[in-house]
Amino acid sequence: MLSVVAVLLAAVACVLGGLALRRTSARPSADGVDALPEDVHGLRQEVAALKAENADALRHLSVVRYDAFGDVGGHLSWSLAVLDDAGHGVVLTSIHGRSEARTYAKSISSWSCEQQLSPEEEEAIEHARP
């Protein structure tokens, strides 16, 4: 008899616990978004601002090393692409010869360049693309 009363009390406690949980859960607001504490909304705004700020960051990088001339080895020539999310940035190229090295910079806009690109520069841009 005592075990039956204990089971009934446990069942009532489960029902009451479920009702209490339903009452304390967040209720959706008029726009359908769950009601959140004010600090969570502030954090969402900060994250959105950081994402917008980060879009202009030059964060897509790629280096291609190669031998520009047949008589010079060691892959001392290189092309470096430094671009943002929209494909704006620069390609830097250094061509190493036997007696000198020359460095060039070409502006990149929307993943392309108005000037003629070498195959190595095109490869660097393609590898930097996300």
Side-chain angles (χ1 to χ4, degrees):
M1 175 78 160
L2 188 57
S3 61
V4 172
V5 171
V7 169
L8 286 175
L9 284 176
V12 169
C14 286
V15 169
L16 291 175
L19 290 174
L21 183 61
R22 238 187 237 175
R23 287 182 188 166
T24 59
S25 66
R27 294 185 182 125
S29 61
D31 59 359
V33 179
D34 288 342
L36 296 172
E38 190 62 35
D39 59 339
V40 174
H41 289 293
L43 289 173
R44 285 185 175 176
Q45 290 174 344
E46 285 183 41
V47 168
L50 288 172
K51 283 182 180 180
E53 189 176 307
N54 193 28
D56 293 335
L58 298 174
R59 61 191 189 114
H60 301 286
L61 308 171
S62 176
V63 175
V64 175
R65 294 180 50 145
Y66 57 96
D67 291 327
F69 305 106
D71 63 338
V72 178
H75 295 298
L76 297 176
S77 298
W78 50 265
S79 292
L80 166 67
V82 183
L83 305 161
D84 66 7
D85 288 346
H88 303 300
V90 66
V91 171
L92 302 172
T93 298
S94 179
I95 299 177
H96 181 80
R98 193 170 281 283
S99 62
E100 65 184 6
R102 294 184 180 225
T103 304
Y104 304 92
K106 296 179 182 175
S107 180
I108 306 299
S109 180
S110 299
W111 303 103
S112 62
C113 183
E114 291 180 5
Q115 298 170 309
Q116 181 70 33
L117 293 172
S118 71
E120 294 83 10
E121 290 168 332
E122 289 177 355
E123 182 180 352
I125 291 170
E126 198 55 41
H127 286 303
R129 185 174 273 189

